Every structure is written in structure tokens, then in C-alpha cells.
Amino acid sequence: MTPTPEDDINPPASYPDVLADVAEATSLREGREGVAGIVRAVASEGPLALRDLARLVRMPLPVVSAVRRELETRGLFERGQGVGLTPTGRDFAAEKLGLALKPVDPRETATPRPRRMLARQADDAGDGLDPLLVPLLPAMEAHVADGPAVDVTLDQAPCTAETALRRALAMHRAGALAGRRILLIGDDDSLSVAIGLVAQAVDARPRRLTVLELDPGRIAHLERGAGRHGIVFEPVAHDLRDPLPAALVGRFDVLATDPPYTLDGMGLFVSRGIEALEAGPGLKLFLSFADLAPDDRLDLQQRLGELGLAILCMRPSFNHYGGASILGSAGQFIELETTSRTRPATTGERFDTPIYTGEVRPRERSYRCTECGLATPVGTGERFATIEALKAAGCPRCSGQVFARQRGGRPLRP
């Protein structure tokens, strides 16, 4: 693992009070995170016409106007040919929000940024790879190819290299990379590496990037990738069925997870993630889950609503997985926001309800050894939970390692 700076390990617990003060002064329902989003938009895209700023942050024009006035009063914004940052505002954005700002170009401050420049904020969820990602793809593909064997008992089904990069870019365009404190819960998709590559390409490095992962093989894989590309991240070996480590509670402002393919598994991972987030509305969560039938999709939305999360955007079949037949090799990517009613469902206690597909819907299969013909059952509760485990151990009778799936009928015997 690349050494993590102290500021990344122990970031400030919350944004400076000026954000909360402005949110209170304007009765902003989005809270301090809403004010921070406006500052971020101006820092990355300004100077901006007020109407373009309102469209970019998805808030009504009068609301954004009121926030702008308050930030002007505090010396962070200035009004010339559009809404821009003052020198004090630039210092604030760099020091308090962790943004890497480019030097001021007098030609850009003279006129507001044209609307066409804002088009890159739109999400590219269609076919094809964004040109920004094309030069990153070979490195990401090489990293994915170096990954360990998949552990199906943990519902592992790594997404493609292209999908990981597209997720990271979508997060960046949602304002969820630069200067952010990001927690990834489970990372067999290597999203941490994709975030590192994209953040370097667009100069939008997170303040902190932490990964909770149960599989030691996956952690070692992520560390190798981070080391190759100079990516700073903090791996934490942890089973999400156990309570969240106290040192992580309330320390992040972005969450991303691709949880087990059960509603209970999803609910647990997202609930633990909510514990790790600061309190307050407007914080970003990114959830990858299977494409679902309408009734199942409604159940998913109900679970998310019970956690107090608001769905901002759902992208069906955005994610593509290599060989994940249980998902149909595709899944949805959901962008959510916290609200004033967001609460975790489980805190400070062990979660013993089954969360993995093999536990919830156990399937027993039988595999015949091609050497001696012995049929061995494989599945949850059996001596071998997966065919991979059976192959690694060898046939119980002859130690053979080649097996054929037994499909119906009586098991074949020599």
C-alpha cells in the first residue's frame, strides 16, 4: 500500500462552519453540502452565469441567488462577468474543500463560461467509451487481468475494466471525487484503482480514499494496482456483518458500494455506509445492483426509502460484468443522496441474517470426477461450497481435478 498522508487518515470531521452558516442564513434544505456543491461548481466551471450555476447544481434560481449573496458577503464569491471565486474563495476551495485549482486565466474571468462547456457534466451512460477514458483503459484492463480467483460465496463478480472507469467518471461528474472523503464498501470491482486513474487524469484527487474489503486476496490485488499507479488509498480488512469500526463512523462524505445480490445484503452494506457518512442532506451514495423486474425494483426502492435516501438517478444496465450469469452480466448504477431523514438501520451490532445469494437461495449441484466417476455434491453446507474449492482439493476418491457437471438422473459411478 502507498503510504497515506496524515491528512487523509484523519481529515476534518466536517466542513467549516461558514458552509453551515450560509445554509442556515438561506434556509437551504440541502444544508451545508448544498452550499459546498455551489462552491465546487464555481471552482471547477466558473465564472458562471447565475442561471447556468443553478442548472449545474440542480437548484432553483432564487435559491442559488440567495446563497451567492451570502457567499459574496463573506468574501468568497465575486460578481463580474458571472459568478466567480475571490482570492479568498480560491483559498477556501483549496484548503477546506481539497480542490486542486488551476491558475487564474484573465481571459476566462473576463466572460462567463459558455454553456457548451458545461455539457461535459452530463453522464455518458450510452454505448462507447468517453474519450477521456480511452488512454486509461489499457492500465485498467491489465490490473483487472491480474486479479485473484473469484469467490462466489461472497457474491464476487468483478465488473469490466471499462465499467469501473465509467463509474469513476460518473462520480467525478457528480462532484464526488475532488477533495472528497470516499468510502468504498467491498471492492472486487477495483473501483478504487479506477478512481485513482480518473482522478489523476482530471486533476480531481480525493482527500481520502478508503476501502472496506473482506477478501485478503482482493486487498493484495488492490495494493498492487495502487502501487503501480501511485494511487493513495487506505485498505481496511473488515467483515460488514460486524459493526463498523468506530474510527470510521461519521468520517466520509461519499459512499460507493456493489453489495451482495440480496436485498438484505444491500441493506446492510448501505446502512453501514450511512454510519460512515457525516450527518446531513446532500451527501452522495453510488449503488451498483442487479437489473430487476418491476416488483423487485419497487422492493429495492422501498428499502432505500426506509433508510431515508433519495434517488437522484438510475442507470439501467450501466454496469457490465465478466461472466456474472446471476446478474445477466449487467446491472444498474444508482446515484442517491442523503436527506435530513437518513438513518442507518443497523448500528453497533452483529448482523446475522444471511446476506449472500448462496445463503439466501442455496443451490446444491453435483460434479462427477472424469477420472473415477465419483459424484460429489457442491453447495452451501456441503464439504465443498464451490466447484473451485473442489478442484483445489481434488476428488475425495482419486484426487483428480477435472470434473463434469452432473445434470439430473442418478449420479454416475464406476
Side-chain angles (χ1 to χ4, degrees):
M1 167 183 141
T2 305
T4 305
E6 185 67 21
D7 286 345
D8 289 332
I9 296 176
N10 296 303
S14 63
Y15 284 132
D17 287 343
V18 63
L19 300 178
D21 291 345
V22 171
E24 183 177 359
T26 57
S27 300
L28 188 66
R29 296 184 66 183
E30 291 81 358
R32 65 170 64 182
E33 185 62 23
V35 181
I38 291 173
V39 176
R40 287 175 180 274
V42 173
S44 63
E45 297 290 344
L48 289 167
L50 187 63
R51 63 183 178 278
D52 289 338
L53 176 57
R55 180 169 61 87
L56 199 57
V57 297
R58 303 187 183 100
M59 293 183 191
L61 187 64
V63 172
V64 176
S65 178
V67 172
R68 178 201 62 187
R69 287 195 298 270
E70 290 294 330
L71 290 170
E72 287 175 349
T73 299
R74 288 161 173 79
L76 301 184
F77 277 8
E78 61 184 1
R79 210 182 319 182
Q81 298 297 319
V83 182
L85 293 176
T86 64
T88 300
R90 287 177 60 83
D91 290 343
F92 178 88
E95 296 173 10
K96 304 303 182 182
L97 299 184
L99 303 182
L101 302 182
K102 296 179 180 179
V104 176
D105 185 340
R107 293 172 297 179
E108 292 188 356
T109 58
T111 58
R113 188 75 58 89
R115 287 190 181 188
R116 60 182 175 83
M117 295 294 289
L118 303 179
R120 70 178 183 85
Q121 294 291 329
D123 291 308
D124 175 18
D127 294 332
L129 192 62
D130 190 292
L132 177 67
L133 302 179
V134 171
L136 308 180
L137 186 57
M140 194 68 207
E141 287 179 331
H143 169 76
V144 171
D146 180 45
V150 169
D151 186 346
V152 296
T153 66
L154 299 179
D155 280 359
Q156 288 181 354
C159 69
T160 63
E162 181 174 324
T163 289
L165 290 172
R166 291 177 67 230
R167 279 188 204 167
L169 183 59
M171 292 175 66
H172 166 61
R173 288 175 170 167
L177 290 193
R180 294 295 196 173
R181 292 165 290 146
I182 304 170
L183 176 65
L184 307 183
I185 294 187
D187 196 21
D188 61 318
D189 293 323
S190 295
L191 180 58
S192 55
V193 174
I195 285 174
L197 292 174
V198 170
Q200 291 171 358
V202 299
D203 198 16
R205 290 169 175 78
R207 185 190 299 267
R208 182 183 188 185
L209 180 58
T210 301
V211 175
L212 289 184
E213 174 58 54
L214 175 61
D215 185 351
R218 288 288 160 186
I219 292 177
H221 178 227
L222 297 176
E223 289 179 327
R224 290 195 300 272
R228 277 194 296 267
H229 301 291
I231 297 168
V232 176
F233 91 113
E234 174 192 5
V236 178
H238 186 69
D239 185 340
L240 261 292
R241 288 170 290 198
D242 292 326
L244 192 71
L248 301 182
V249 174
R251 305 304 297 273
F252 299 89
D253 48 32
V254 174
L255 168 70
T257 184
D258 192 339
Y261 314 136
T262 65
L263 284 179
D264 284 333
M266 180 281 300
L268 174 63
F269 276 45
V270 173
S271 180
R272 298 291 196 213
I274 289 172
E275 283 187 78
L277 293 175
E278 286 186 345
L283 299 179
K284 298 287 187 181
L285 293 88
F286 299 88
L287 169 65
S288 293
F289 206 62
D291 282 334
L292 300 171
D295 284 358
D296 295 330
R297 192 181 316 127
L298 182 61
D299 290 340
L300 171 66
Q301 294 174 8
Q302 182 176 348
R303 289 287 189 106
L304 296 172
E306 289 170 354
L307 292 168
L309 297 172
I311 297 175
L312 185 60
C313 181
M314 300 184 74
R315 302 174 177 89
S317 299
F318 182 98
N319 298 320
H320 295 271
Y321 300 86
S325 59
I326 192 171
L327 299 177
S329 297
Q332 58 186 319
F333 186 57
I334 306 172
E335 182 180 342
L336 304 119
E337 289 185 325
T338 59
T339 69
S340 59
R341 289 174 279 176
T342 299
R343 299 288 186 277
T346 305
T347 58
E349 57 192 45
R350 169 81 180 179
F351 189 85
D352 289 322
T353 301
I355 61 173
Y356 294 109
T357 304
E359 299 172 329
V360 177
R361 295 184 292 275
R363 292 188 299 173
E364 182 179 300
R365 294 174 174 175
S366 186
Y367 290 86
R368 178 177 58 84
C369 174
T370 60
E371 291 291 328
C372 70
L374 177 68
T376 302
V378 170
T380 303
E382 297 292 342
R383 177 180 175 186
F384 303 104
T386 66
I387 181 58
E388 290 80 9
L390 175 59
K391 288 179 179 179
C395 172
R397 175 183 291 172
C398 71
S399 298
Q401 294 183 311
V402 180
F403 300 86
R405 171 86 178 277
Q406 183 72 40
R407 298 181 182 276
R410 298 178 63 182
L412 298 179
R413 302 288 180 180

